[in-house]
Amino acid sequence: MMPSSSSSSSYSCSSSSSTSSAFLLSLLLLLSVPLLFFLAPRLLPPKTLPSIPASDETSDLALFRRAILASNSSSASATSLRLPHRRTPKIAFLFLTNSPLHFAPLWEQFFHNRSRLFNVYVHADPSIKPPLPPSFSSPSFAGRFIPSKPTQRASPTLISAARRLLAFALLDDPSNAYFTIISQTCIPLHSFDFMYRSLLSRPRRSYIEIVADDPGLYTRYIARGDDAMLPEVPFERFRVGSQFFALTRKHAVMVVRDRRLWKKFRMPCLRKMRDSCYPEEHYFPTLLDMQDPNGCSGYTLTRVNWTDSVEGHPHTYRPDEVRPELIWELRRSNSTYSYLFARKFAPECIDPLMQIAHSVILKD
């Protein structure tokens, strides 16, 4: 029996409707692909930790260029036969802090009557209010705060802050001969005179820890991705070490001038590698070991106690631990040199530290 014309018409309409629906669905899927690519980064959690803002990079680059030009000009003048310059060498103390400088009173005692031999520069995270203890008048720290930018752990912002400090110190005074990084939890272990002689009475070299056999070296190396550091930094040239160092002026200029390695170390770490991401402990030892290993000691002059570290933080000394015996123990090293600084001390330690400042800490 032949189908009726009405049945045929109904079948034709149904078929046409199905075809139109399929076409419309395909078109929508096709149009959604670019939309998905556009929205995915905003909807999904990022795979990397935060990176350095482009504006910070731009302003830092301008600062570094000025520091390099000034250092080149200063070096040319110092070596000129017509204009010899004999300056008294100074130590630049570069305070890198993300909390108030609770130990400023102790450092003030350390600096007392030595103003012609040192300069202070402070990079304080902009969120710190106030950066110095209330009601504390400090001639050594007053006016020594440089323009600062936010810093955070597990990011290259700490490298940027240290380089910023180096650049400002290079620009500020051609007499700065050593540049030593100090944190808000650091204290001096000797008098200023002892420290000054220790750095300047022997051949100039940088005191920076450089380690090539750390158990977690490879994990740290791939924190930005398996091949992210290549070709500039092959694994066999990758080093780790403490971020607390004392650099010669030559090496300070070298750090500020660097662009080649910085483009690798400024890359953010993968989120899944957060526990291995300590850029400030990687960049400086790798750079200096690649460019001038013979000019570096391979060890730091800042004592740290890692015996009971927690989440990557070293032991924090409490007030009941502050005794003369602790200072004497912290000074000792397994070599012929003495440690000059130590960390990490809780803010509450300021009172017991001040009690033994003149009788122990600043007495050699």
Side-chain angles (χ1 to χ4, degrees):
M1 182 177 178
M2 297 294 290
S4 67
S5 59
S6 61
S7 299
S8 176
S9 176
S10 175
Y11 174 80
S12 176
C13 288
S14 175
S15 176
S16 175
S17 176
S18 297
T19 302
S20 298
S21 297
F23 176 76
L24 184 59
L25 181 61
S26 298
L27 182 62
L28 288 173
L29 287 173
L30 185 64
L31 292 174
S32 67
V33 171
L35 186 63
L36 183 63
F37 274 100
F38 177 76
L39 291 177
R42 292 162 174 78
L43 299 176
L44 299 175
K47 292 184 178 180
T48 62
L49 296 168
S51 58
I52 296 177
S55 58
D56 288 3
E57 278 283 283
T58 301
S59 61
D60 281 348
L61 186 59
L63 168 66
F64 298 161
R65 284 173 176 161
R66 295 196 339 259
I68 294 166
L69 288 172
S71 295
N72 290 341
S73 175
S74 175
S75 297
S77 297
T79 56
S80 170
L81 294 177
R82 291 178 301 166
L83 296 171
H85 288 264
R86 295 186 177 276
R87 304 186 183 96
T88 301
K90 295 181 181 180
I91 312 297
F93 289 85
L94 314 179
F95 285 82
L96 178 55
T97 178
N98 60 5
S99 67
L101 295 168
H102 297 286
F103 300 126
L106 177 61
W107 285 103
E108 198 63 65
Q109 293 298 314
F110 174 78
F111 293 136
H112 187 61
N113 283 338
R114 299 293 183 272
S115 58
R116 66 185 184 86
L117 300 177
F118 76 93
N119 285 303
V120 167
Y121 307 88
V122 184
H123 186 290
D125 191 286
S127 64
I128 301 173
K129 304 292 180 187
L132 287 170
S135 304
F136 174 66
S137 177
S138 174
S140 298
F141 289 88
R144 307 309 296 173
F145 289 76
I146 72 167
S148 305
K149 299 183 173 100
T151 59
Q152 63 183 56
R153 201 171 177 222
S155 86
T157 56
L158 288 172
I159 303 176
S160 293
R163 296 178 84 204
R164 214 170 283 133
L165 279 164
L166 289 168
F168 269 98
L170 286 168
L171 273 168
D172 180 63
D173 194 337
S175 297
N176 286 331
Y178 267 102
F179 304 75
T180 182
I181 292 284
I182 304 292
S183 83
Q184 72 272 24
T185 67
C186 280
I187 68 164
L189 293 176
H190 289 278
S191 69
F192 184 96
D193 292 342
F194 183 97
M195 178 278 307
Y196 191 85
R197 290 194 305 269
S198 296
L199 289 176
L200 296 171
S201 65
R202 42 193 169 185
R204 300 281 176 88
R205 59 176 176 167
S206 289
Y207 294 91
I208 178 171
E209 186 177 40
I210 300 175
V211 180
D213 57 355
D214 184 87
L217 194 66
Y218 185 71
T219 305
R220 289 174 178 238
Y221 178 72
I222 63 171
R224 298 162 191 82
D226 289 349
D227 299 318
M229 304 302 288
L230 295 175
E232 286 81 1
V233 187
F235 174 64
E236 60 271 16
R237 300 306 306 272
F238 185 70
R239 300 290 184 267
V240 300
S242 170
Q243 72 179 105
F244 299 98
F245 49 67
L247 299 187
T248 61
R249 190 174 185 90
K250 170 187 172 182
H251 286 162
V253 173
M254 192 178 293
V255 167
V256 170
R257 181 182 288 128
D258 172 58
R259 301 286 179 272
R260 184 169 176 268
L261 266 62
W262 172 239
K263 73 179 183 180
K264 292 295 183 178
F265 284 95
R266 76 184 180 191
M267 293 189 299
C269 294
L270 302 174
R271 283 189 174 274
K272 64 180 182 180
M273 302 297 288
R274 177 188 290 272
D275 292 341
S276 299
C277 186
Y278 303 100
E280 71 281 2
E281 296 181 2
H282 307 157
Y283 173 71
F284 299 103
T286 300
L287 172 66
L288 294 180
D289 190 62
M290 290 180 72
Q291 295 200 12
D292 188 18
N294 294 329
C296 301
S297 67
Y299 57 83
T300 178
L301 297 176
T302 300
R303 180 74 177 269
V304 184
N305 182 357
W306 289 103
T307 55
D308 56 351
S309 62
V310 178
E311 297 181 350
H313 294 284
H315 174 79
T316 299
Y317 293 102
R318 302 295 173 186
D320 60 344
E321 298 178 84
V322 177
R323 300 185 301 274
E325 293 78 12
L326 174 63
I327 303 302
W328 298 331
E329 173 59 29
L330 291 175
R331 288 174 174 176
R332 286 197 290 267
S333 72
N334 56 7
S335 187
T336 57
Y337 67 92
S338 173
Y339 284 106
L340 301 181
F341 315 103
R343 60 183 291 267
K344 183 176 184 180
F345 285 80
E348 300 77 27
C349 291
I350 182 60
D351 287 338
L353 285 170
M354 291 299 287
Q355 291 174 13
I356 61 172
H358 292 284
S359 60
V360 179
I361 299 175
L362 305 180
K363 183 179 180 180
D364 303 312

